[in-house]
Amino acid sequence: MTGQDAVNTAKAFNDRLDFDGVVLTKLDGDTRGGAALSIKTVVNKPIKFVGTGEKMEAIDVFHPTRMSDRILGMGDVVTLVEKAQEQYNEEEARKLSKKIAQNKFDFNDFLAQLNQIKKMGNIKDLVGMIPGVGKAMKDVDIKDDAFKHIEAIIQSMTPAEREKPELINGSRRARIAKGSGQSIQEINKLMKQFEETRKMMRMMQDKGAMMKMMKNMPKMPGMK
Amino acid sequence: MFDSLSEKLDRAFKVLKGQGKITEINVAETLKEVRKALLDADVNYKVAKQFTDTVKEKALGQQVLTAISPSQLLVKITHDELTSLMGGETADIKLDSNPTIILMSGLQGSGKTTFTGKLANHLKTKRGKKPLLIAADVYRPAAINQLHVLGEQIGVEVFSDAESKDPISIAKRGIAQAKENGNTVVIIDTAGRLAVDEAMMNEIAALKKRN
């Protein structure tokens, strides 16, 4: 049900019930968001929430300004930051930064980071909230399981390998490839990405090196 | 969710690229595209027309600062108007009465039961409320189960009575239980209904009035 239908229904319900507010559900599946724009004028009741998925967490308070930011392709940094904050755990962050300082960031941490991003919601939506990126990425298909093969690779490593990635030699790579159902090239790619992430993270802590890092940003994992 | 609308609006504003000032002609051209984009997104015709008229009026009356280009200015005006079209301010949910009673209503399959769960989860985790869900959908047998499963997932109590076929009495008893147990929010999940279904609409109107 889209646009006009939704508005007409809302009007009919409002005539009988005089409700307080509207909720837009299934906004993830519907590309035509016309209802959001017409409902206020026709029914004169505010939109309070939007539902954007099947999960119990897929609910957002409706902010008109942020919505117009998104419609006009300006991204929605405020929501992005809020989502990140929800997942942020101070103690874990402190532990992590200590590990990075000692160059002990390992695959377990890598996996934990991936999970945190995943918990923030649909990856395509998240990317769309970064100003300018949404437009650039609209033809790129980022699947929700973009991280799956990375997870599979990491989960095929032994605990020792996860803690000490240096251990991973040629024959171990072959085993990991078999275990995760990926090619050796994929394993090599991930190992390289991981090394770069490690390097970048150390540089982040060392402010002087920040500028250097900006120049050769490594590619984000999971994107082709 | 607004992919195609965003794209079309973007294209509309390109018309103004490179133009030194806002004139009646180039604004009219851009706004024609904007209106098309809105209509394609299934925005109500009257709303779209009114929207572009307001933008036009504001755009022509504006002093263009030398620092910003006309297309930027028009984007800004459009942004402001879109915001006010969607209500302007963020409308927060009212939760001051104790218990706050929320009645869900809507068509079949519009996601009421799922949203009931989501809302309860939101109120519980982010607002520190203690919700009680009432399963008042007596027509769809699975609805009560669905609500129980959702309630279990998010750790929220659910009141239901599979025996009763009277949503009003279920709701009444549910609210009584909420008051007893100190729940601060009550969300009533009702059966989906068409707005033209007179009997069902009477039922929900009565449900609203009685509680």
Side-chain angles (χ1 to χ4, degrees), chain A residues 1-4 7 9 12-13 16-20 23 25-27 30-38 40-42 46-59 61-65 67-74 86 135 138, chain B residues 1-3 5-7 9-10 13 38 40-45 47 50 75 78-79 82-83 85-94 105-107 109-111 114-115 117-119 121-122 126-127 150 153-154 193 195 198 201-202 204-205 208:
Chain A
M1 199 175 61
T2 52
Q4 313 265 10
V7 174
T9 309
F13 271 92
R16 292 301 296 267
L17 290 175
D18 190 31
F19 50 68
D20 289 317
V23 171
T25 53
K26 305 189 179 176
L27 216 56
D30 187 2
T31 48
R32 305 202 289 173
L37 294 169
S38 340
K40 175 78 195 338
T41 316
V42 177
I47 301 168
K48 303 214 171 199
F49 291 98
V50 289
T52 49
E54 297 272 308
K55 288 188 195 140
M56 279 295 111
E57 290 80 28
I59 170 174
V61 176
F62 183 81
H63 298 285
T65 14
M67 201 49 96
S68 20
D69 283 350
R70 275 158 93 159
I71 293 176
L72 291 173
M74 299 175 190
E86 275 167 32
K135 236 183 285 167
K138 72 172 189 302
Chain B
M1 66 195 92
F2 289 110
D3 288 354
L5 178 60
S6 298
E7 193 187 323
L9 285 178
D10 193 46
F13 291 124
L38 290 174
D40 276 347
D42 222 352
V43 173
N44 185 299
Y45 175 75
V47 176
Q50 203 184 344
V75 169
T78 310
H79 180 271
L82 276 178
T83 308
L85 193 59
M86 289 186 286
E89 296 288 304
T90 303
D92 209 6
I93 187 163
K94 278 178 255 161
S105 68
L107 300 180
S110 58
T114 307
F115 189 81
K118 285 184 188 177
L119 184 61
N121 190 33
H122 174 87
K126 302 214 174 125
R127 310 284 178 97
L150 291 176
Q153 250 179 50
I154 56 174
R193 63 202 70 220
E198 202 52 38
M201 288 308 279
N202 283 336
I204 197 161
K208 179 172 188 256

Side-chain angles (χ1 to χ4, degrees), chain A residues 150-168:
Chain A
I150 297 179
E151 275 174 32
I153 294 173
I154 298 178
Q155 275 156 0
S156 302
M157 296 175 184
T158 65
E161 284 166 349
R162 289 185 211 181
E163 272 165 42
K164 278 187 118 173
E166 299 79 33
L167 280 178
I168 301 173

Side-chain angles (χ1 to χ4, degrees), chain A residues 2 32 39 51 68 75 92-93 101 121 131 142 151 183 201 215 217:
Chain A
T2 52
R32 305 202 289 173
I39 223 155
S68 20
E92 260 172 47
I142 309 170
E151 275 174 32
S183 64
M201 284 187 154
K215 273 186 202 147
M217 283 269 272

Side-chain angles (χ1 to χ4, degrees), chain A residues 187-218:
Chain A
I187 315 287
N188 288 338
K189 217 168 88 190
L190 178 69
M191 295 294 296
K192 218 174 148 198
Q193 269 174 353
F194 175 75
E195 268 316 309
E196 276 173 0
T197 312
R198 222 181 193 187
K199 243 193 273 169
M200 183 182 78
M201 284 187 154
R202 245 189 342 175
M203 275 195 236
M204 293 261 239
Q205 292 205 321
D206 179 7
K207 282 197 186 108
M210 273 293 266
M211 287 316 288
K212 221 172 104 197
M213 182 204 73
M214 293 300 228
K215 273 186 202 147
N216 46 25
M217 283 269 272

Side-chain angles (χ1 to χ4, degrees), chain A residues 1 81 145 223:
Chain A
M1 199 175 61
V81 170
D145 53 3
M223 282 171 205

